[in-house]
Amino acid sequence: MRMRPRSSRWFHRSSSAVAVFAFLSLLAQASLAHASLPGSIFAPHSTPAREEHQLSLFVLVICALIYIGVSALLIYALIRFRARPHDNTEPPQVFGSLQIELSWTIIPILIIVVLFLGTARVLFSVQDAPEPPTALDVTVIGHQFWWEFRYPKYNVVTANELHLPLSTQADPRPSFLKLTSADVMHSFWVPQLGGKTDVLPNRVNEMWMDPLQTGLYVGQCAQFCGAQHAKMLLRVYVDSPEDFDKWIKNQQRTQAELAQPHIAMASMPSPGNQSAGPVPPNSPPTHGAIAATIPAEAGDAINARNGQLVFEQQSCISCHAVAGTVANGRYGPDLTHLMSRVTIGAGAALNTPGNLEAWIADPSTFKPGCLMPAMHLSDRQNAQITAYLLTLK
Amino acid sequence: MADQSLPVGQRVEAALDRTPVHSGRGTYLEVVHSWIVTVDHKKLGIMYIAYALVFLLVAGAEAMLIRIQLIKPLNDFLSPFTFNRMFTMHGTTMVFLVGMPILFGFGNYLVPLMIGARDMAFPRLNAFSFWISAFAGILLYYSFIGGVGLSGTGSAPDIAWFAYAPLTEKAFSPGHTTDYWAIAILASGVGSIGTAINIIATVFCMRCKGMTLMRIPLLPWLYAVMSFLVLVAVSPLTACQAMLLVDRYLGGHFFDTQAGGSAILWAHFFWIFGHPEVYVLVLPAFAFANEIIPVFSRKAIFGYPAMVAASVGIGFISLGVWAHHMFTIGMTSFGNAFFTLSTMLVAIPTGIKTFNWMATIWGGKIRFETPMLFSVAFLFQWVIAGLTGVMLSISPWNWQLHNSYFVVAHFHYVLVGAIVFMIFAAIYYWYPKMTGRMLNDKLGKWHFWLMVIGFHVTFDTMHFPGLLGMPRQIYTYQPDRGWNTLNFIVSIGGFIQGIAVLILVYNLVHSYFRGEDAGPDPWDAWTLEWATASPPPAYNFAVEPEVASRRPLWDLKHPEDPDSAFE
Amino acid sequence: MATIPLEHGHQDAAWRLPSRGTVAMSCLITAESAIFTIFVVAYLYYMGRDVQGPTPKGVLEILPVIPYTVCLLSSSFFIWLAERAIEHGKMAAFRLWWAVTVALGLAFLYGTYAEWYKLIVHDHLTIGTNLFGTTYYSLVGLHASHVIVGLIMMLFVLAFSLFGAVRPEHAYRVKTLALYWHFVDAVWVVVFTVVYVVSRQ
């Protein structure tokens, strides 16, 4: 039998160094996190996010104190009780101590009571907050790999970029979201506005947020949902009340007012986005007058009119909707006000004419695995469609 | 070392069986055959460990690929399809093909020896369990070349290790990726349940004379609790995977939301398995700490009865915390509160164990051999892992942290910082017993320091992208979110850990041929496995031992101060 | 070779350990109970949530189930008689009661077959019809598969005993198998209650 005692003073010093370094680096980087980086959970701009933030700081401090205490004791023990060289005797054997063991059972119980009570307060106040009459209702529907947003009271349907009104003490206007999924599980997460809520098929979850500062807040899907989970991004624009009203009014306009008169169905009850009366957002179009007015083929010129013809004759309309036209597909994002959005493909690319055309030609240039197939149209047709889409402001 | 007045070495060695083990080896084919048909717990244990180490390298390579892809934003080193397969396989492999086998391997090897038994209770069941687990791993990896997946070639699972429904339904995962996952893990689960039954039966029914349940070393105790958890927790996984296969092949609707099925049911069933599973993985790590820390502090474990009670308590409480993985799924506030409280409660017995380890060290004479180095790192890292776990149990804060890199950092702190570090400690501690050779000390120190540095560089840093809003399981990220440098640092640490593990592998092979002779008891330890030769003969002990205390070898070496006088 | 003697002898007298077979079978029963619990939970969770298709109230009849439930539950009594017989060395009685148990188990299986035939052919309820179909066939089928495994084991024992290979010293092994059979019967009590009593409300 053999033992090889080692003189390991260097080890003790370095072990304490390691522990100290770990902790300090944690602190330093924690302060980095405070800088308002776009997704930082330490830069809250809505009441739920603020409450979660305050609770997190409280818990962080308690945990830090526990860690400092425990590691200090441990470092002390490792240094003080190291084996001295050439000492081959055994130390006194201690098998236990009831008082000590009781104390380190009771004290953690007390800490847990404190933590739990603090947690429960925030938990119930955030999750069970009642909906005030001034609240805005938004329905969020998760798809593979994009977000659908509906404003039921305004009959607005849009995609990927959410606009919410500012909510202040003087003029509180929280947004209450109902979330569901059209396919698999997703999760709606905009860190600066609140915690995440999972988005499930066949189930409606609820959350609320009251953005306290205007600006752009980013987030993304936070539940693995397939190939392009990583590019299912979220952009939330918090607008002043005036800007929000302007945006809503624009979203409510149908494209019937904008498109070429001999194609537009101005006199038809418009499907999709509605401002005339309580027609549900998903009403099928009435096709009666359509056949009479659509010409047989698009011409060669690259313009919006030809683009609309191509768009409506190819299978674009089986997935996409443009209010005021025959396009009423719901599988893909609503394109009625595509040009009011800053990005395309749920944040996969900026919404520029070049990107738009490249996307239409082959979406997997930006987002391989997304569910829009490359339609294998000719370059001319792609250009025409792009010209048309550029008019959808 | 023993009291100088008594030449202890002589006494113990005279009691040992010194029959040479390797006489008449036979041809190469005979040796291989003997390993394939063996029912000897020691050989099976070594096969489990070797199998797990192979998959450790494979899953580690998968992790390296992940970190290369994430080293900078909008990287195109891996396609999204390949990346999704990498992280799915990395997680699945590490849990089922590395963690479970290596821990079962150590349990298989040590439990009979520590309780003075000749073998496990059911040696043939033992062999069956190993081979079906081995088959499961091969089946899972066959998926890389077999079948048709979502994107054409090769259908390694790409559904994340927890395979949430309805992504796994045929509608969203055509091809066979989900099937390889479900069937392979189902088979591995059968093996796990078999070994669990074996361990419990061995601990309860095969103890040597005098070894009451309160005298068995803590390692068999913790393995018994862990096996009970396997019985109760792996079965739900088997059940829900069977349900998934019914959906995919028999037209069932368990998780078919179109027919009224529920995605949340899968989450519940999976985490009813998944949470106890992490305790299945961590309890053996605790078992190793319970054996190694006392020996290198030269003191008995502090508070043995409390340790037993705490371990059993952890086992039971861990069955009631699963929905803390689901705080964002839309449970009621009451549900969230309940699981917050139950999760916090599990910290109490865990804290008791941690404090008992510290009290064992306190007043001792600590020797910083390589097993103890890893154990000390384990202690610091375990405290952090537990504390970030407490942070995650705070449900409102969890609504921010869930599915972010903070969670990834937390569970890697547990899995690597606690479990893998203790597995390394166990390797250095028991390799001499298993092979008769000491592992090279210098290489051990290199392994340790590179591992500590790499681990902290990666996993300390990894908390911060999570706090800055970076979700997990994404193949790339936007450059304007402030995550770039942090991801870069994380990746570098990963490469350092890879080098550390390669040093270990080299050490394992090199020392087998050139290591110093270990002898039966190189660490001057106190449990029965050190009372027989290294490696032990096939029958373990020539005559069944008879014990009167928890540390039979201490009593032998210190007849003037035996434990039996105090217990 | 030497032991590690510390105290000689006085431990020998009362050193008794539990029996391996009983412990192992109890562990297996624990694991199987967990599996059955999950299927029962799924069945209860999905009660009343069918979008279309037959419902329990509509197609499940309790009256035909009762006779073969009685068969299965009484088989527990007969296997207990068989255990007692082999413990007392009465091999002929053992063979008789064992055969009766097997016959009752087969009768239960026949009943399950008859009921499934009616459900599939007359009521058009299959595993893919709706949630009820999926959960019903999974749960009852899981139980039936355990009955089948138990019967196969018991047929082996019956065959061995007919060849005279089963002797009183094998009582312990027989009891371990009987423990499994009692478990299968106990599960049926739960399944029957959940499926035929609770879900038909």
Side-chain angles (χ1 to χ4, degrees):
Chain A
M1 134 189 60
R2 85 169 68 67
M3 280 301 294
R4 286 184 307 277
R6 282 184 174 275
S7 167
S8 308
R9 301 190 60 158
W10 59 275
F11 168 70
H12 315 300
R13 294 215 193 97
S14 12
S15 83
S16 30
V18 166
V20 168
F21 164 80
F23 182 71
L24 282 180
S25 69
L26 242 86
L27 269 186
Q29 295 183 59
S31 54
L32 259 181
H34 273 272
S36 39
L37 287 160
S40 169
I41 71 173
F42 288 121
H45 289 287
S46 113
T47 306
R50 279 207 181 152
E51 303 232 343
E52 289 154 16
H53 176 233
Q54 276 160 358
L55 180 61
S56 74
L57 289 176
F58 172 65
V59 173
L60 203 51
V61 166
I62 293 183
C63 290
L65 288 172
I66 295 174
Y67 182 67
I68 293 174
V70 170
S71 51
L73 274 172
L74 193 47
I75 293 171
Y76 174 76
L78 289 169
I79 298 176
R80 163 96 168 70
F81 298 109
R82 68 194 184 284
R84 304 302 192 268
H86 310 301
D87 177 3
N88 286 334
T89 59
E90 308 281 33
Q93 301 294 301
V94 179
F95 297 96
S97 152
L98 187 61
Q99 296 94 320
I100 299 181
E101 295 183 51
L102 265 179
S103 69
W104 67 48
T105 310
I106 308 265
I107 294 177
I109 293 180
L110 294 172
I111 296 178
I112 282 172
V113 168
V114 167
L115 283 176
F116 178 69
L117 290 176
T119 304
R121 192 187 60 78
V122 173
L123 167 61
F124 287 105
S125 95
V126 170
Q127 190 166 348
D128 294 341
E131 181 172 350
T134 54
L136 170 72
D137 286 314
V138 181
T139 306
V140 176
I141 303 173
H143 295 256
Q144 279 179 320
F145 304 99
W146 60 280
W147 298 94
E148 179 178 347
F149 299 118
R150 296 179 175 217
Y151 297 73
K153 289 206 187 93
Y154 297 104
N155 277 322
V156 167
V157 179
T158 183
N160 295 323
E161 297 183 6
L162 182 62
H163 282 251
L164 297 177
L166 183 67
S167 175
T168 57
Q169 286 248 357
D171 175 24
R173 198 133 183 246
S175 302
F176 273 68
L177 277 54
K178 285 189 164 38
L179 304 107
T180 186
S181 166
D183 40 38
V184 300
M185 232 167 100
H186 303 273
S187 191
F188 180 92
W189 190 26
V190 182
Q192 293 185 324
L193 295 180
K196 63 183 68 65
T197 304
D198 291 345
V199 158
L200 277 75
N202 201 25
R203 182 188 180 93
V204 176
N205 281 339
E206 295 180 359
M207 69 181 291
W208 67 278
M209 48 185 68
D210 59 345
L212 301 163
Q213 197 177 306
T214 57
L216 165 65
Y217 299 94
V218 294
Q220 61 191 95
C221 176
Q223 172 61 49
F224 181 68
C225 51
Q228 277 297 342
H229 163 62
K231 287 192 181 172
M232 193 169 153
L233 306 180
L234 281 163
R235 295 170 81 85
V236 180
Y237 290 92
V238 176
D239 301 325
S240 65
E242 304 77 39
D243 286 339
F244 181 74
D245 287 335
K246 245 198 311 194
W247 180 82
I248 283 279
K249 291 230 159 39
N250 183 47
Q251 294 291 316
Q252 285 175 322
R253 285 168 28 217
T254 73
Q255 289 301 338
E257 298 150 32
L258 301 169
Q260 301 290 324
H262 67 281
I263 295 179
M265 313 296 141
S267 60
M268 311 302 297
S270 332
N273 288 359
Q274 305 289 339
S275 56
V279 181
N282 247 343
S283 324
T286 50
H287 290 281
I290 296 170
T293 50
I294 289 191
E297 264 181 30
D300 272 352
I302 297 179
N303 59 36
R305 174 187 162 279
N306 288 337
Q308 183 173 3
L309 285 167
V310 176
F311 184 85
E312 290 172 0
Q313 288 165 1
Q314 300 298 326
S315 45
C316 310
I317 63 172
S318 56
C319 292
H320 290 288
V322 179
T325 71
V326 306
N328 198 34
R330 289 292 161 201
Y331 188 71
D334 188 298
L335 298 179
T336 313
H337 299 285
L338 178 62
M339 297 320 291
S340 71
R341 304 205 270 269
V342 173
T343 62
I344 54 172
L350 282 176
N351 189 0
T352 63
N355 283 348
L356 205 47
E357 192 164 341
W359 175 275
I360 294 166
D362 185 2
S364 63
T365 327
F366 299 102
K367 210 165 165 179
C370 91
L371 297 182
M372 174 167 160
M375 299 306 293
H376 300 299
L377 301 177
S378 70
D379 290 341
R380 174 174 300 277
Q381 287 172 309
N382 288 334
Q384 287 171 328
I385 295 176
T386 308
Y388 169 57
L389 292 179
L390 288 172
T391 67
L392 299 178
K393 300 212 198 302
Chain B
M1 199 69 92
D3 194 300
Q4 296 290 23
S5 60
L6 202 69
V8 177
Q10 239 171 314
R11 276 281 294 272
V12 174
E13 296 208 9
L16 292 178
D17 177 0
R18 296 302 232 153
T19 313
V21 182
H22 295 299
S23 47
R25 213 176 188 143
T27 67
Y28 178 69
L29 216 52
E30 280 168 9
V31 169
V32 170
H33 177 259
S34 77
W35 280 83
I36 292 179
V37 303
T38 186
V39 296
D40 178 359
H41 72 102
K42 298 184 289 300
K43 285 209 169 91
L44 288 169
I46 291 175
M47 285 200 284
Y48 264 119
I49 294 172
Y51 167 93
L53 287 173
V54 168
F55 277 110
L56 177 69
L57 295 175
V58 172
E62 285 159 354
M64 295 298 105
L65 292 173
I66 292 172
R67 286 320 315 174
I68 295 174
Q69 167 64 12
L70 292 175
I71 203 167
K72 63 176 184 150
L74 298 176
N75 202 1
D76 57 1
F77 175 71
L78 295 177
S79 74
F81 314 106
T82 310
F83 183 89
N84 294 346
R85 285 188 204 121
M86 286 299 109
F87 75 72
T88 302
M89 291 298 273
H90 169 76
T92 308
T93 306
M94 283 296 194
V95 172
F96 295 104
L97 307 182
V98 179
M100 302 282 277
I102 203 168
L103 297 170
F104 278 139
F106 274 104
N108 246 317
Y109 197 98
L110 295 171
V111 169
L113 281 168
M114 282 185 163
I115 61 173
R118 192 232 183 279
D119 204 316
M120 296 282 270
F122 300 102
R124 282 172 295 189
L125 175 65
N126 208 4
F128 167 76
S129 300
F130 170 74
W131 288 108
I132 201 172
S133 300
F135 165 73
I138 294 171
L139 178 65
L140 184 67
Y141 272 83
Y142 183 77
S143 64
F144 274 110
I145 54 179
V148 174
L150 193 56
S151 53
T153 57
S155 51
D158 58 357
I159 39 171
W161 92 280
F162 41 73
Y164 266 13
L167 182 61
T168 47
E169 294 280 297
K170 260 268 174 6
F172 301 107
S173 283
H176 298 300
T177 71
T178 307
D179 305 319
Y180 278 105
W181 181 85
I183 297 176
I185 306 305
L186 221 152
S188 137
V190 169
S192 302
I193 293 178
T195 308
I197 294 177
N198 227 336
I199 291 178
I200 294 180
T202 307
V203 170
F204 282 94
C205 310
M206 310 277 290
R207 288 165 280 132
C208 66
K209 284 211 188 75
M211 194 175 270
T212 62
L213 277 177
M214 290 305 271
R215 281 191 195 150
I216 61 176
L218 283 173
L219 186 143
W221 252 121
L222 269 90
Y223 265 90
V225 177
M226 169 254 210
S227 299
F228 167 74
L229 278 182
V230 167
L231 292 178
V232 176
V234 172
S235 310
L237 179 67
T238 308
C240 66
Q241 284 171 328
M243 291 177 179
L244 182 60
L245 291 169
V246 165
D247 274 12
R248 286 176 62 83
Y249 286 102
L250 297 180
H253 304 289
F254 279 108
F255 309 112
D256 174 9
T257 47
Q258 298 294 308
S262 163
I264 205 174
L265 199 65
W266 172 271
H268 275 295
F269 289 160
F270 184 85
W271 290 115
I272 286 174
F273 151 76
H275 192 81
E277 168 68 11
V278 310
Y279 284 92
V280 165
L281 294 172
V282 95
L283 285 176
F286 290 167
F288 301 149
N290 285 330
E291 299 301 327
I292 294 174
I293 291 177
V295 167
F296 290 92
S297 311
R298 309 309 303 160
K299 277 178 70 209
I301 190 82
F302 187 91
Y304 176 101
M307 286 298 231
V308 172
S311 309
V312 173
I314 290 174
F316 278 106
I317 301 180
S318 73
L319 294 171
V321 307
W322 76 88
H324 66 225
H325 300 268
M326 296 161 58
F327 280 137
T328 58
I329 214 167
M331 295 190 295
T332 60
S333 46
F334 174 74
N336 285 335
F338 173 81
F339 283 101
T340 300
L341 183 59
S342 65
T343 308
M344 288 181 184
L345 284 178
V346 88
I348 296 170
T350 317
I352 290 175
K353 289 188 77 77
T354 312
F355 297 133
N356 277 5
W357 288 319
M358 289 169 55
T360 304
I361 293 177
W362 194 277
K365 296 195 177 177
I366 310 166
R367 298 172 188 276
F368 288 98
E369 308 287 339
T370 312
M372 189 59 171
L373 291 178
F374 278 103
S375 305
V376 167
F378 155 80
L379 282 173
F380 284 105
Q381 284 152 192
W382 171 249
V383 176
I384 296 181
L387 290 172
T388 55
V390 169
M391 291 180 207
L392 286 165
S393 76
I394 310 285
S395 34
W397 196 7
N398 187 285
W399 296 333
Q400 291 281 18
L401 298 173
H402 171 68
N403 262 357
S404 74
Y405 262 86
F406 188 91
V407 175
V408 180
H410 160 73
F411 70 68
H412 280 93
Y413 240 89
V414 179
L415 291 167
V416 182
I419 295 173
V420 168
F421 269 69
M422 278 323 291
I423 290 174
F424 289 154
I427 289 176
Y428 284 93
Y429 186 61
W430 278 296
Y431 181 93
K433 174 55 55 182
M434 295 181 184
T435 60
R437 310 267 196 178
M438 301 299 288
L439 278 170
N440 181 290
D441 197 50
K442 193 139 173 270
L443 288 176
K445 298 289 195 297
W446 271 95
H447 170 210
F448 171 73
W449 284 108
L450 281 178
M451 198 63 205
V452 166
I453 292 170
F455 172 80
H456 284 279
V457 167
T458 296
F459 295 111
D460 287 3
T461 314
M462 195 187 272
H463 289 89
F464 294 97
L467 294 172
L468 295 177
M470 182 174 179
R472 60 190 284 201
Q473 298 170 335
I474 52 175
Y475 77 96
T476 190
Y477 50 95
Q478 302 300 309
D480 57 351
R481 305 292 295 267
W483 305 334
N484 309 355
T485 316
L486 295 169
N487 270 291
F488 182 82
I489 297 172
V490 168
S491 293
I492 298 297
F495 305 140
I496 298 176
Q497 290 174 79
I499 297 174
V501 173
L502 289 174
I503 293 179
L504 170 69
V505 171
Y506 175 76
N507 199 354
L508 288 170
V509 176
H510 174 264
S511 302
Y512 184 76
F513 298 103
R514 303 209 194 231
E516 302 173 42
D517 190 43
D521 183 15
W523 309 114
D524 194 4
W526 306 310
T527 40
L528 282 177
E529 78 269 28
W530 305 105
T532 184
S534 298
Y539 46 83
N540 293 349
F541 302 99
V543 180
E544 185 193 344
E546 206 176 312
V547 305
S549 77
R550 292 176 189 141
R551 296 188 297 169
L553 293 196
W554 172 277
D555 291 353
L556 249 196
K557 296 172 188 176
H558 300 273
E560 78 292 353
D561 180 27
D563 277 3
S564 48
F566 293 101
E567 288 176 15
Chain C
M1 295 303 153
T3 63
I4 309 167
L6 291 163
E7 320 251 324
H8 292 274
H10 76 242
Q11 314 263 16
D12 291 344
W15 187 244
R16 272 205 294 245
L17 294 165
S19 77
R20 291 181 304 154
T22 314
V23 170
M25 187 52 76
S26 309
C27 288
L28 182 65
I29 288 173
T30 306
E32 299 278 16
S33 305
I35 297 182
F36 274 102
T37 304
I38 296 297
F39 278 93
V40 167
V41 166
Y43 186 90
L44 290 170
Y45 186 82
Y46 282 138
M47 246 167 44
R49 290 190 191 217
D50 294 294
V51 175
Q52 50 84 31
T55 59
K57 205 162 182 165
V59 301
L60 290 181
E61 290 158 15
I62 202 170
L63 238 36
V65 183
I66 293 194
Y68 61 89
T69 299
V70 168
C71 282
L72 187 69
L73 297 183
S74 64
S75 72
S76 258
F77 170 71
F78 287 103
I79 205 174
W80 174 74
L81 287 179
E83 292 176 71
R84 268 194 16 169
I86 194 172
E87 269 168 12
H88 292 123
K90 303 197 165 80
M91 298 315 294
F94 165 74
R95 276 194 290 275
L96 171 66
W97 298 130
W98 197 258
V100 169
T101 308
V102 172
L104 289 171
L106 288 169
F108 173 83
L109 280 183
Y110 173 77
T112 305
Y113 156 75
E115 185 181 20
W116 284 17
Y117 182 85
K118 165 202 169 288
L119 286 172
I120 295 172
V121 173
H122 298 294
D123 298 315
H124 307 295
L125 178 74
T126 64
I127 200 170
T129 307
N130 58 5
L131 290 172
F132 165 55
T134 304
T135 52
Y136 170 81
Y137 283 107
S138 305
L139 180 57
V140 176
L142 184 69
H143 176 261
S145 65
H146 281 72
V147 172
I148 293 173
V149 166
L151 284 175
I152 292 175
M153 302 294 287
M154 286 161 62
L155 278 167
F156 270 114
V157 172
L158 187 62
F160 291 151
S161 72
L162 289 173
F163 284 115
V166 179
R167 290 181 295 280
E169 56 262 33
H170 297 134
Y172 164 68
R173 300 187 190 193
V174 162
K175 283 163 73 85
T176 307
L177 181 53
L179 185 57
Y180 174 81
W181 190 251
H182 290 304
F183 164 69
V184 166
D185 287 359
V187 171
W188 181 248
V189 171
V190 174
V191 172
F192 176 83
T193 310
V194 166
V195 173
Y196 293 93
V197 176
V198 171
S199 74
R200 283 175 65 251
Q201 301 310 323

